[in-house]
Amino acid sequence: MKRKRSPKNRPNDEKPSKRIAANASPEANQQEDQDDVVVVAIGASAGGLEAFTDLLSHLPPDTGMAFVLVQHLDPKHESMLTELISRSTRMPVLEVKHGMRIEPDHVYVIPPNTTMTIHDDTLRLTAREEARGLHMAVDYFMRSLAEVQGHNAIGVILSGSGTDGTLGLAEIQAQGGVTFAQDETTARHDGMPRSAIAAGCVDFVLPPSEIARELTRMASRPYIAPSGKDEAADLVPEQHVGLKTIFQLIRKSTGVDLTYYRHTTIRRRVQRRMIVHKMDTLPRYVKYLQKNPAEIKALYQEMLINVTSFFRDPSVFEALKGRVFAGLLKKRPANSPIRIWAPGCSSGEETYSLAIALLESLGDKVSSLPLQIFGSDVSETSINKARNGLYPENIQSDVSPERLGRFFVKVEGGYRINKNVRDMCIFAQQNLLADPPFSQMDLICCRNLLIYLEAPLQKNVISLFHYALKPDGFLVLGGAESVGTLSNLFSLEDRANKIYARRFTAIRPAVAFSLGRYPERIGPGTKPHLVARKEPSWSAAEAQKEFDRRLLQQFAPAAVFVDEGLEVVHSRGNVDRYLKLSPGRATLSILKMTREGLLLELRNAITRAKKDNVTVRREHVDVKTDHSVRDVTFEVIPLRVANAHEPYLMIVFEEAAAEWKQRQGKRRVGPLRKDTSSKRLAKLEQQLAATTEYLHTVIEDQEATNEELQSANEEILSSNEELQSTNEELETAKEELQSTNEELSTVNDEQRSRHDEIVHANNDLKNLLSSTKVALVIVDRDLSIRRFTPEAQRILGLITSDVGRPFDNINASLNIPDLHQLVLQVVTDFTPVERDVHVRSGKQYTLRVLPYSTMDNKVDGAVITLAAESVREARLAGEAVLADHPADMMAVLDSDLRVKAATPSFCRAFQITPGVVQNLSLHRLNHVFPDNPELQKVLHKAQQTGEAIAPFTVELRMDGETRTKFECRLEPITLEGGAKVITLSLHASFGQERSAQTGG
């Protein structure tokens, strides 16, 4: 559920809604601000001009939209694009200047050698940067547009090679915008549209003319209703019922309850799906959902907002490296693991970014510290992508070349996370609002997830994070998020980067693991059911405390104890004269409890005491009580409590002039009057003595009974305390077991996923070895047989039980006395060996021994292959062809595009050793042949068709750095035995050739 950044860090649905209203009245349009212009970002590369002109030619000139074309241009030449495009539309076509304001019904074209962004409907240009590999101009602008326009952004990808624009469309779609891609069958170069479609971030796949018609349809009516101050209040009962039905459908299908997700976000997602399916009313869309389970899945995936990137907000990661990671390493035992959790990790970029930043921060200490980094998300699709760790080439704009080289491996179609980094990251499908959390975490990084939750869920999630962290743990939130009213659980360490430190709490807050299970919301007029609190019983210790409290209250001055947030923690004496509860919601903030006349002086004194760490005294402050005005003196005293990081304040109140009342009275004793009747007096005395004796008896019995009851009560209270203590321990153990079980389930899922990958890879390898016609034997470093193909089994006479036996046992099948030394030499020197050999049947083969490389670029054995005579003939034929042209830069390639032979001029010009280049695949010469889609396409054509290719220009690196243009020729040749080879000849321009010869 991710993600946004600062001013973009607020949800897109909280931005003022804009509308496409070309059909609005002139009066309404005059009231519309220029900020309401909807911008359509169009990205293209090779072949994009033709597609863009086709799109513009089918657009009316008064859609009310502004169109911005971001085309890949030569940075060293002026562009004629503006003039060419203006011929196909009646809208004004302008080349962008820095600070140019966007206007409706205009077309804007990016100038060469620039990077463009948008801010407040103003286009801004910066010089193009080459430091990060490929220039992703389309991604850069579309991301900027998504930040500014949110759900009103529209993105279009037309013809072009590469993957630029994929991340930009994903960002637009994540913000609730609409995305288009050109139909691959109509694109001259389908790389960019195909990449975007494969990423799943395209709503409409259409030809350019149909894209224009769809944009016109969207412009002819407001596809997003204007939002008022409170969109929830604008919902009619029919829409409330519709949303409730949608929640029920999603909960039934996925098990996830979206009731307490932010409703504005949910409505935007629903409206976006309605746009895609061209539906005008919510009831109609609800019926469509009920009939199409696949649409429920699609809507659910959009609700999750699975979009993120590597090192989003780089300053956060620098702060983590400089403050958090350094703090975690202090006084840490050697065997204590560093545990990090990234909830809502989406496709894993955030988790891997944390792992990379931690590895960079640890430096040489990596090997001595165990690291555990957990990533969780409710989306199973996203978790599978994260586990795979494969990302497109576009990440070059977010990841520096140094990090790409150290933590990534270049593979076909993009980059894969290094195995060492992947092994320390564990991913699990987890519903943060319903499943038990991880525990004992040093750091939780949950950025831009809370902004999509309603307030009740936000509070519970923050309490959950407090439970999951260690006492000295840290929490990182997004730029628009905070802990809210739960500042007693976390203290703010870094305001700019929203880094919080866990606070110690005397009473552990209650944590409910199933946060998503809430009762139905209370409707108006319904009274909630309140459960009466049961008053706790008193023990002897509590009675002693009460005695002390009463004694202090009677004779000690009135005082209060407040924490760093100025919340009253404790009080002594009679503070009613100075403090009272304020009307409204109850609060213990001392500044809200002060009586009239005390607030100003008290606030100033507290501010000075906190700032200077000194005792501040204020005298003769007039404080108004209920019936009088008192002359009060008070002191604010800073305190530091042992084992507590935050400071406390003690505030002592006293009367400036105590009022004493003199009580004087004289006891007057009058003379006793004598009763004239002595008999009556004697009778009364007897009755009084009897009554007194009876009362003494009753009192003694009562005291004995009370002692027995008190003794029994103390025993019961003692037993109750023990039971309560045991119950608390059991609750704690239960929570720890739940968290441990969740971690074990996560590890089990991870291991199961990796086991499945290994099984699939093993099956693929088995089928590959069974289907190939090449005799291949793999041996380990001890030259024991690890695997072999059926062809090797036939030629060398191997059997299944030979696996694990030394390779020397099969040497008798080959006429090679020094085979053992050859293989050892390859394993030791990493240098391939090729030789012509004979088997026992007398047939001749070409023996190749290559080093066996692991994913970590370590040699762990050798690969031995036996190629038929046709391969040898290809090599000999190649050498014969090159013998006639020793001065030319030529190479001979086999049908698999492996170099069979090369002229000395070719090797000398590109600084290649002749022995190394032989039998290497052409694409492995990375320092000579950089990524060149045109060259790859032509080679593939020559490989498939066997036809000669007309001369064409190609740019290569002569010394690994300098780029040089060559005229390239490809000519397929069929040998007598039927084998096919391709001759590759290069011819540099006169100036470059002369320079090369001079340098040689």
Side-chain angles (χ1 to χ4, degrees), residues 604-651:
N604 293 339
I606 290 174
T607 302
R608 184 184 171 192
K610 292 177 65 177
K611 180 179 179 182
D612 300 336
N613 196 28
V614 296
T615 300
V616 180
R617 182 180 177 87
R618 293 286 187 270
E619 297 180 348
H620 305 297
V621 179
D622 292 334
V623 179
K624 184 178 180 181
T625 59
D626 294 335
H627 304 291
S628 63
V629 176
R630 296 179 180 274
D631 189 2
V632 177
T633 296
F634 66 87
E635 288 185 350
V636 180
I637 307 170
L639 296 176
R640 282 283 180 179
V641 181
N643 300 325
H645 297 291
E646 59 270 14
Y648 289 86
L649 297 174
M650 183 172 68
I651 305 173

Side-chain angles (χ1 to χ4, degrees), residues 111 181 308 445 594 624 650 658 673 679 687 748 756 809 814:
T308 183
C445 185
T594 55
K624 184 178 180 181
M650 183 172 68
R673 293 190 295 173
K679 185 178 179 179
Q687 290 178 351
N748 187 46
D756 293 341
N809 293 354
L814 300 172

Side-chain angles (χ1 to χ4, degrees), residues 18-19 21 24 27-37:
K18 304 173 185 178
R19 63 184 295 180
E27 294 78 5
N29 285 333
Q30 289 176 1
Q31 295 175 0
E32 293 283 340
D33 190 78
Q34 286 291 343
D35 291 343
D36 291 333
V37 178

Side-chain angles (χ1 to χ4, degrees), residues 27 115 307 383 386 391 435 549 571 655 704 721 730 733 739 868 918:
E27 294 78 5
T115 299
V307 61
I383 288 298
Y391 300 97
D435 297 330
R549 187 184 69 81
S571 67
E655 296 287 343
E721 289 178 356
L730 290 175
S739 296
Q918 194 171 20

Side-chain angles (χ1 to χ4, degrees), residues 176-198:
V178 182
T179 57
F180 296 82
Q182 183 176 358
D183 190 347
E184 300 172 58
T185 59
T186 65
R188 287 182 56 189
H189 299 272
D190 61 358
M192 289 172 60
R194 186 176 68 250
S195 174
I197 295 170

Side-chain angles (χ1 to χ4, degrees), residues 77 97 175 185 259 382 503 508 592 701 737 748 820:
H77 295 85
K97 305 294 182 184
Q175 307 302 334
T185 59
T259 305
S382 297
R503 279 182 168 175
R508 184 177 180 179
K592 295 183 179 179
D701 293 342
L737 286 174
N748 187 46
H820 185 79

Side-chain angles (χ1 to χ4, degrees), residues 284-545:
R284 183 182 172 192
Y285 179 68
V286 171
K287 291 181 180 179
Y288 180 78
L289 277 176
Q290 292 170 335
K291 296 179 181 178
N292 295 272
E295 176 61 18
I296 299 177
K297 297 287 187 182
L299 177 61
Y300 168 68
Q301 288 298 328
E302 286 212 11
M303 297 288 190
L304 301 182
I305 316 180
N306 289 314
V307 61
T308 183
S309 64
F310 284 97
F311 298 100
R312 176 166 284 191
D313 298 330
S315 61
V316 174
F317 292 92
E318 293 303 320
L320 288 175
K321 292 166 65 175
R323 175 176 295 186
V324 176
F325 294 155
L328 293 179
L329 294 177
K330 292 180 180 179
K331 301 179 181 179
R332 176 175 290 272
N335 59 348
S336 176
I338 295 179
R339 294 165 59 86
I340 300 176
W341 179 24
C345 68
S346 188
S347 49
E349 288 92 332
E350 183 92 337
T351 308
Y352 288 129
S353 297
L354 289 169
I356 292 172
L358 179 59
L359 290 175
E360 292 175 341
S361 180
L362 291 177
D364 298 335
K365 300 178 182 178
V366 173
S367 58
S368 62
L369 279 175
L371 306 177
Q372 298 175 353
I373 303 177
F374 299 88
S376 64
D377 197 276
V378 72
S379 171
E380 182 180 3
T381 303
S382 297
I383 288 298
N384 289 335
K385 289 181 180 179
R387 286 172 176 165
N388 194 26
L390 180 62
Y391 300 97
E393 294 181 351
N394 308 47
I395 66 172
Q396 296 180 30
S397 60
D398 299 318
V399 184
S400 66
E402 294 77 13
R403 284 171 171 162
L404 282 176
R406 179 180 175 188
F407 301 106
F408 293 80
V409 177
K410 184 71 171 69
V411 296
E412 183 179 357
Y415 292 91
R416 188 183 296 276
I417 294 289
N418 188 298
K419 186 176 184 295
N420 293 332
V421 181
R422 274 198 295 161
D423 287 345
M424 72 174 62
C425 297
I426 299 175
F427 294 95
Q429 183 183 5
Q430 180 199 45
N431 185 352
L432 181 64
L433 308 178
D435 297 330
F438 300 105
S439 62
Q440 295 299 308
M441 291 293 152
D442 294 292
L443 170 66
I444 296 178
C445 185
C446 181
R447 298 197 295 155
N448 306 317
L449 169 62
L450 298 182
I451 55 177
Y452 299 107
L453 304 179
E454 297 284 2
L457 285 186
Q458 289 183 3
K459 291 183 178 180
N460 286 330
V461 170
I462 293 296
S463 299
L464 189 75
F465 290 159
H466 186 271
Y467 162 80
L469 283 169
K470 292 181 179 178
D472 55 351
F474 292 89
L475 172 66
V476 182
L477 299 179
E481 298 170 334
S482 69
V483 297
T485 59
L486 300 179
S487 57
N488 61 314
L489 300 183
F490 291 93
S491 61
L492 186 60
E493 293 289 313
D494 187 336
R495 184 178 301 275
N497 297 300
K498 292 302 178 70
I499 299 177
Y500 294 84
R502 185 185 186 274
R503 279 182 168 175
F504 173 78
T505 54
I507 301 176
R508 184 177 180 179
V511 178
F513 287 165
S514 297
L515 306 183
R517 298 168 187 169
Y518 288 95
E520 294 295 329
R521 297 187 176 185
I522 300 174
T526 304
K527 295 184 178 180
H529 177 66
L530 301 179
V531 180
R533 287 186 59 186
K534 185 178 180 180
E535 293 297 333
S537 302
W538 280 35
S539 65
E542 289 172 337
Q544 179 65 34
K545 291 180 181 179

